[in-house]
Structures are given as structure tokens and as C-alpha cells.
Amino acid sequence: MHTDGALAGFDCQTCGTTHAPDDVETTCPDCGEPVTPAFDPDALGKALDERTHDATGIDRFAPALGFDSDSGLVSLGAGGKSVIDAPLLADEIGVGDVRIADEGRNPTGSAADRELAVAVSIAAQRDAEGVVLPSTGNAARSAAAYAGRAGLESLSYVPSRTPFLEKAMTNVHGGELSVVEGRYVDAAAAYDGADTEGFPVGPDSPFRQLGAATLAWGLFDRETDSPDAVVLPVGHGTRLAGLFAGLKALEATGRLDSLPELYATQPEGCAPIVTAHETDEEIEPRDTPDSVIGPLEIPDPAVGSLAREALRESDGGAVAVPDDDALAAAVDATAATGVEVSATGGVALAGAQKLAEKGALGSDTSVLVVDPLAAAAESDILRSQ
């Protein structure tokens, strides 16, 4: 990884230190708090201008991510164009227009592909033999795919409630699973307590944020019709933090006039980031998380502080919705638009509806709703509607 290119390092907002990329694995080496990517505006602008136009997905951003343009980044084509207009939803929600970023079109069916492509590539560059992480299931499958492509092993700690599809495909990709009885919090505890070898690519990995920054660059870099607001479902906050880092970097280059408003949505049964935003207090882990939407049942967000900062600095907000509203929103949107919306994406759609009702999203607002997961991964709970 280049240390003198677009990626200037990783910033720790807690102790104010900026660390060189090669000095970071997960959290701040000095204080242990989350770090986030920092970019050199001039170098980033040059890297974006010089990107390879015949490359697909996040490959075209390889120099901006700190990789050689012709080597180092294993992407499998992740991050291709996936935004679809949904005018019927705009009328129903009461906003100017709605577009859906269908990240389920990525190679393993989730937005985690952007993140793990970068994190696993870093592991390979550092001569790791394998990668290790806790996951609700989607990232485990993604990590296994990219690790296999890079010639690495992968080990994921997942809860027993992880859908069969994600567990099966993780194994098909050659990944090893440690299935822990219970929910995500139990799998995370097993991961924390295990003496495992491997490069960590869990939700606190800043390299996963780096991968998520490519969504910002793909959507907003010199686009004339960029959305006014982005609504996305949030668990750990990794994707939101990475999106925000990418947007801030674009603004610093002068390629983006102003930041869009960012809105986090979570299920009511597990909404620690929403609660903290509403009360303006520190995030308190949920003792009894309760949601059927497993990818978002995260009681103690790994980078929640960075997610909150993104909401504040973008003049956005946060909203929680009942599971039933999220599932209904996903099913109704799928029927009305033909776009297969996941239950996780339904949390964002239901959240957008609630935000519009509260007046946070106006009748002329252009809204991008991020659906991070293929609907097939949650077909069982969607079919129950």
C-alpha cells in the first residue's frame, strides 16, 4: 500500500493522532478507539482523474485506495453501478425522487463486498496467512470469497441464527466457520475470547471503511444529479463512517459542493445509535436486543462514535422503525418497483417514510436509499409478510 498517495493515513478523533496506513490494523494503536480514513485532497483528486476507465467496480478507484492501479486489489468486480430510479416510491413517501442503491448485486450479494475486498487485499499485502472476523453472516461469506481469491484462509465467528444460505456459501467459498449458539453478541464474545491467528477484518477495521468510501465516490464524484439525502440501515456504523469519509474527501477536493444529509435507520428492537443521537448522549449497548432483522441486531456498535459524527456533521439524523414496518416496506417496494428489496433495506425505506412524515425529508428532496443486501438472503422473513 502506498503511504505517500491519496490515503494520508487514519485519524483517531479521540486522541487526535493520525497514523500511517501501515501502522494500523484495527483501532488506534495509542488509545484503542476507532479510526477513520484521511485523504490528501490533491492526491485524491489526481487519483480520481487518473483512474482506469476500462476498469469495473471499485477497481477503478484502486489508486485512490492506496493500491497500484494494476495490482494489489482483489475486487471480483464489486462496486459496479447499482442505482435504480423508483418514482412510485417517491410518490408514496412524499419526496422529490427516490433511487435505490441495490448493493445486493455485488458478487456475494452484499455491500460487505466493497469493504472486504479492500480489507482482505491489505491482509494479502501484509503476507497474512488468513483473515478472521465476527459476523452476522454476510461479511463471513464475503470474507471467504475474497480470501479464497487471494489465496488466504478465512475464519468467521457467526451466531447460530445466521441464515443457512450465508453459512453454506461461506463454506462453499472455502471459509471456515465457528458457529456460536445465540445471537451476534455471543459470536462476538467468542471471537474476542479466542486465541486466533489471522489478520482482523471485523467491523472495527478501518480498511472496511476505506472500501465503503467507494460508494461515495461512485455516487457523488462530479455527478450533476447527486441526491440531497442518503438513508441507510446501520448496525455497527462501519458503512456509514466509510461513506462519510469518502464524501468529506470529495468535498475537500472541490469535486463536491456540499455534503448530503446522512440518515441512519435501525430496528426499534436494537437502535443504540438512534437512541444516542436523539438523546445526545454516549452510546449505551442494548442489554436485550430484539429484531428479526439479524444483520442490524448489533447491541454495541463497533464504530458507533464515528457514525454519530457523520450524522452530526452532515446535518442528518437517525430514526428507528418497527420490524413489521420494515418488512412491509421491503415487500411493497419489491412488488411496486420490481427491485428485490431485502428486509435490511426495508429498514431504510421505512425510515425514509418516517423521516418524511416528520418533515426531515421535504417534498422536493432527492433521496438515495441504500439496500446493502440481496433479498434472497432474507427471503424466509420476507415471505412471512
Side-chain angles (χ1 to χ4, degrees):
M1 167 165 278
H2 299 304
T3 57
D4 57 351
L7 179 63
F10 292 98
D11 286 345
C12 178
Q13 297 175 349
T14 303
C15 68
T17 306
T18 297
H19 299 279
D22 289 344
D23 293 339
V24 175
E25 276 198 351
T26 53
T27 55
C28 175
D30 292 342
C31 71
E33 293 298 312
V35 296
T36 195
F39 299 90
D40 177 275
D42 292 336
L44 177 62
K46 182 179 179 181
L48 292 174
D49 284 335
E50 294 180 350
R51 62 193 177 203
T52 305
H53 293 286
D54 60 354
T56 60
I58 67 172
D59 297 67
R60 66 193 191 277
F61 300 121
L65 294 169
F67 295 93
D68 292 333
S69 59
D70 59 351
S71 66
L73 180 60
V74 181
S75 81
L76 296 174
K81 290 288 186 180
S82 63
V83 178
I84 303 166
D85 290 330
L88 292 178
L89 294 183
D91 294 339
E92 182 176 334
I93 293 173
V95 295
D97 68 78
V98 171
R99 281 170 279 177
I100 299 175
D102 184 7
E103 288 288 284
R105 299 185 179 201
N106 281 315
T108 73
S110 80
D113 280 2
R114 292 179 183 267
E115 305 164 14
L116 271 303
V118 175
V120 171
S121 295
I122 294 296
Q125 279 195 348
R126 297 188 182 182
D127 296 324
E129 294 185 2
V131 296
V132 60
L133 71 157
S135 171
T136 58
N138 308 322
R141 177 179 176 182
S142 183
Y146 292 98
R149 178 77 172 181
L152 306 181
E153 298 177 351
S154 75
L155 169 61
S156 300
Y157 290 78
V158 301
S160 55
R161 70 180 307 204
T162 294
F164 173 78
L165 173 65
E166 304 301 327
K167 289 187 284 191
M169 289 309 299
T170 299
N171 287 149
V172 169
H173 280 295
E176 183 180 349
L177 284 175
S178 177
V179 180
V180 181
E181 186 65 32
R183 299 173 181 257
Y184 174 77
V185 66
D186 302 298
Y191 167 81
D192 290 337
D195 183 18
T196 56
E197 295 183 358
F199 189 82
V201 294
D204 57 354
S205 167
F207 299 106
R208 287 181 59 171
Q209 292 180 51
L210 190 58
T214 63
L215 181 59
W217 300 338
L219 291 169
F220 289 87
D221 182 25
R222 291 185 172 169
E223 294 291 337
T224 57
D225 59 347
S226 298
D228 303 313
V230 180
V231 182
L232 68 164
V234 174
H236 282 288
T238 308
R239 194 161 299 128
L240 174 57
L243 174 67
F244 183 58
L247 289 169
K248 281 200 304 180
L250 275 185
E251 186 181 38
T253 67
R255 304 164 76 97
L256 177 65
D257 292 335
S258 60
L259 295 173
E261 297 173 354
L262 302 181
Y263 292 92
T265 60
Q266 295 187 294
E268 284 185 349
C270 190
I273 292 175
V274 174
T275 300
H277 181 79
E278 291 176 341
T279 60
D280 197 25
E281 296 179 355
E282 295 298 316
I283 294 176
E284 292 290 337
R286 289 290 294 264
D287 292 331
T288 55
D290 184 18
S291 173
V292 299
I293 304 170
L296 300 182
E297 197 187 63
I298 307 296
D300 190 8
V303 294
S305 60
L306 298 179
R308 289 193 63 198
E309 186 66 20
L311 302 179
R312 285 193 296 264
E313 287 197 32
S314 69
D315 291 325
V319 65
V321 297
D323 281 1
D324 287 346
D325 288 359
L327 297 178
V331 171
D332 292 347
T334 299
T337 68
V339 181
E340 295 184 354
V341 178
S342 69
T344 300
V347 174
L349 279 175
Q353 179 75 63
K354 192 170 182 178
L355 289 165
E357 292 170 355
K358 294 170 60 176
L361 300 177
S363 60
D364 60 347
T365 302
S366 173
V367 181
L368 177 76
V369 174
V370 178
D371 183 356
L373 183 62
E378 298 175 318
S379 57
D380 286 349
I381 58 174
L382 289 172
R383 192 169 182 269
S384 68
Q385 285 296 294

